[in-house]
Each structure stands twice: as structure tokens, then as C-alpha cells.
Amino acid sequence: MIRSNIKPFILIPFLSLILITLSDNYSSVISVSDKNSNLIFPGVGDEHDEDQEASQSTTGDDKSNSNTDSKKSYSEERKTTEFAKKVKDKHKSDDDNEENHDPSSYARLNFVAVGDWDCNSKAKKTIKNIEELDPELAIGLGDYSYSGSVGCWLKLVNPISDKLKITMGNHDAESSKKLKDLMKYFGLEKQYYSFNFENIHFISLSTEVPYDDDSNQYEFATYDLEKYSNDPNIDWIIVFFHRQSYGSGSSPENEEKFTEIYHPLFNEFGVNLVLQGHQHIYERMYPLSYNEEDDDKPYITDDSSNDYKNIEGAVFVTVGTGGSFATGLGSTSDYTAERFIKYGVLNVDIVNNGRTLKGEFYGNDGKIYDEFSIDK
């Protein structure tokens, strides 16, 4: 009979250590809700409103950390791969041509935005694209999984989950389980919220819960936009939601009622950039101001191709290019500056000491297909 030399009192602690390690790794996959304490929701203690059933989430999670934990400073280097190095070299070349050669003007932060993902090989390439761009923040524009579960998508985005902030899409809200899982994973109490990121104020609105001008969401949006439009520390206001306000894709139709209610608010409080999904295309609009007489024909405040200075109105961009099937292009609208069907992400850099916003659409093939800038 062969006797083992391994003593039980040695083996048991060793097995316990393995189990603890596996448990820690699993926890990091199933929830990032502890990284969202910097989110701004409607006032604590509010009564349950009409969209409460769509925002049930576990509130007992430890939310002592936030996405600010993973944030890098303006001047910190953020590009590491060979592809990303090319991006960095291009930006430095642009900066060298600026009149202001103060090193502080080269400081930057960046984020990416994309919606309409799905669980497929194209979505995997989109995530790889994001990893190589190495943003401080990633904005999800809705419709993450087109199946009955979001588990597959949550596994795909695990490498970038600590950077993600999301809005809900129609396919996310079609199932109470999918919606609950997303809300819990990202630590969301409601589908509409806001947060600050350096000198940017982001507000996430929901096209999937009541948004009329007598809704709690509208009240929150009005208060939030007014407050941060007067904040001296905020230079940029960016709104993101799922169903598009304006667009010339072949389908689905524009969310006209939402546009009628919220675009006037964007005008009033100086929103600079509006990010949306729903149509599975990329489309950038000229800076637009709301037209009360015909909300299908917004006023174009600057018809420059891609370089805007001290503009009125906001630039609307549809980025439904995360991986789901293309929905096609319809007739080009007068307000469309650029559009195409490609998979990829919108990368946004804040440069020139925080006074310039530069947007670039990076295809998943590593090529840039669109560029624009907004100067203040």
C-alpha cells in the first residue's frame, strides 16, 4: 500500500486558497456595480415613479468605488499597442501644428461610444478595437444582446466592463430578466442618470421608459442640464440614449416625440454632442438647432464639413456599429454630414487644454473613416 506524504492539515488550507481565488475571479465577471457610486440619479427618497418597474436592481452592493478609480490623468500616456501607437503619433502631429505650444495644451482624455452590439465575432472585434484604443471611458448606446439573455454579452465585455457606462435599448427592455441583469450588473437604480468625467458632464436618457414633459425623467433632465450648464468646471455636455432623434437609415423610424420634447432642452442648456444608436449604421449630422415649426427639419447652424467653432446647437451622431446586422441606408437627409455602414467605434478626444473635442470613427479594421472637431 502506497501512503501519501501530503498531510491533511497542509492540503485543506491549499484547497481553501484555490476556492477563494476562483470566487474572487468570478465576482469580477458578474458585476461592476461597485464602480458606479459617481452616478447621479433622481433625488434619494423619491417615491416610486412610473418607470420604477424597469429599474429594479440590487442596492446592497458595496459601491464604495467608482469608475473614477480607473480614470487616468489628462497627461498620462494611454496608448500601448502598435496600432494605438499610430493613433498617438497622429494626434501628436496634429498638436504640433497648433499655434499654442504650451505642453498643457497637449493634455487629453478620451472615451469611445458604440451601440447595437450582439454576441458575435463582429462584436468581439469591436471590443478588441476598444481595448487597443485604451479609452478612459466607454459609452454603450443600447441593444447589447439580441437573444433572451445578456450573459453572453457580459462575458464578451468583461475586459472593458470597468470602463463602461450604458443606456438601455429596446432589445434590452423587451425582457424583464435582461433588463434586471443589466441594471444590477452596472449598479443602476434608474434608466436615466448623469455623471461628471473631468470637464465633461454626461447625461444618459432612456427612450424605453416614460419621457413626456410631465414625467419624472423630464423633470430630472431639466434640473440636471440647467445645473451643469452653469457649472464653471464643466466645458462639455454630452447626452446619450438609444433610439435616434435624427437619422437617414432605412429603418427604424426616428423617435419624433422624444425629439420634440428633448431637443429644445438641448438647445436651451448648451448640449454639445448627442450620441445615439438604434439604426445599425454610422451617421454624423451637422450641428443642429431645433425647428419648432417642423421638427423633421432641424436648423443646420454650421454646414462646414467637419470643423466647427463656437457653434450653436449640438452635433448628433448615430453609432449603431457594434456588431449587429446592418439596417441599411435610406435617402440622405439635408442635415447629414457623413454616413456609411462599417463596424467600429466613435473615439472622442478632449484636447487643447480641454477646449477642443475631436471625434474619429475607427473601423474595426484600424482605419479612420470619419473625423470632426468642435472648438470653444
Side-chain angles (χ1 to χ4, degrees), residues 114-355:
V114 63
D116 303 277
W117 303 59
D118 211 351
C119 299
N120 56 29
S121 60
K122 297 180 180 66
K124 289 180 180 179
K125 289 182 180 179
T126 297
I127 293 164
K128 183 65 175 178
N129 191 355
I130 294 173
E131 287 185 280
E132 293 191 328
L133 286 168
D134 192 21
E136 284 87 357
L137 179 69
I139 300 294
L141 299 177
D143 281 6
Y144 307 107
S145 170
Y146 291 75
S147 67
S149 169
V150 295
C152 61
W153 181 77
L154 293 177
K155 289 180 181 178
L156 285 182
V157 299
N158 185 56
I160 60 170
S161 62
D162 62 337
K163 300 179 179 183
L164 267 170
K165 304 286 191 185
I166 69 168
T167 192
M168 297 300 175
N170 55 297
H171 286 284
D172 308 315
E174 67 186 2
S175 160
S176 60
K177 184 182 187 321
K178 288 168 66 175
L179 182 59
K180 183 179 179 180
D181 288 347
L182 284 168
M183 298 285 284
K184 181 177 180 179
Y185 186 89
F186 289 99
L188 298 179
E189 298 172 12
K190 292 186 181 292
Q191 291 189 42
Y192 49 93
Y193 61 94
S194 67
F195 61 96
N196 292 331
F197 183 73
E198 299 290 357
N199 66 334
I200 309 172
H201 181 68
F202 286 92
I203 177 169
S204 172
L205 299 177
S206 176
T207 54
E208 309 312 310
V209 297
Y211 55 70
D212 289 344
D213 56 11
D214 60 353
S215 67
N216 286 355
Q217 178 169 201
Y218 180 83
E219 182 180 356
F220 170 70
T222 303
Y223 173 81
D224 187 86
L225 288 171
E226 181 177 14
K227 177 180 178 180
Y228 288 99
S229 66
N230 292 310
D231 188 331
N233 296 313
I234 297 299
D235 295 315
W236 304 96
I237 298 179
I238 298 175
V239 180
F240 63 102
F241 46 83
H242 180 64
R243 299 181 193 243
Q244 80 283 351
S245 283
Y246 301 105
S248 63
S250 59
S251 65
E253 295 181 353
N254 297 334
E255 195 74 2
E256 294 180 358
K257 184 68 177 296
F258 183 87
T259 307
E260 177 185 341
I261 294 171
Y262 287 90
H263 195 179
L265 285 183
F266 302 164
N267 277 141
E268 181 178 358
F269 298 116
V271 171
N272 307 110
L273 182 65
V274 178
L275 302 172
Q276 51 192 21
H278 204 38
Q279 292 183 338
H280 300 177
I281 64 173
Y282 175 85
E283 183 172 15
R284 173 174 56 86
M285 276 58 89
Y286 295 112
L288 301 178
S289 182
Y290 184 67
N291 182 354
E292 294 183 359
E293 297 180 358
D294 188 347
D295 53 24
D296 284 335
K297 297 181 179 180
Y299 296 118
I300 299 171
T301 63
D302 189 330
D303 60 0
S304 304
S305 60
N306 59 3
D307 187 12
Y308 310 114
K309 300 181 184 300
N310 300 313
I311 58 171
E312 294 183 7
V315 174
F316 286 69
V317 187
T318 299
V319 198
T321 56
S324 187
F325 61 93
T327 52
L329 301 174
S331 300
T332 304
S333 299
D334 292 339
Y335 52 67
T336 300
E338 182 63 86
R339 67 174 192 165
F340 45 77
I341 296 175
K342 293 284 182 183
Y343 293 104
V345 302
L346 177 67
N347 179 80
V348 177
D349 287 304
I350 304 297
V351 298
N352 191 24
N353 207 24
R355 305 299 295 175

Side-chain angles (χ1 to χ4, degrees), residues 7 13 27 80 87 100 102 141 192 295 306 337 372:
K7 304 297 183 182
S27 297
T80 54
V87 177
N100 182 4
D102 181 350
L141 299 177
Y192 49 93
D295 53 24
N306 59 3
F372 68 95

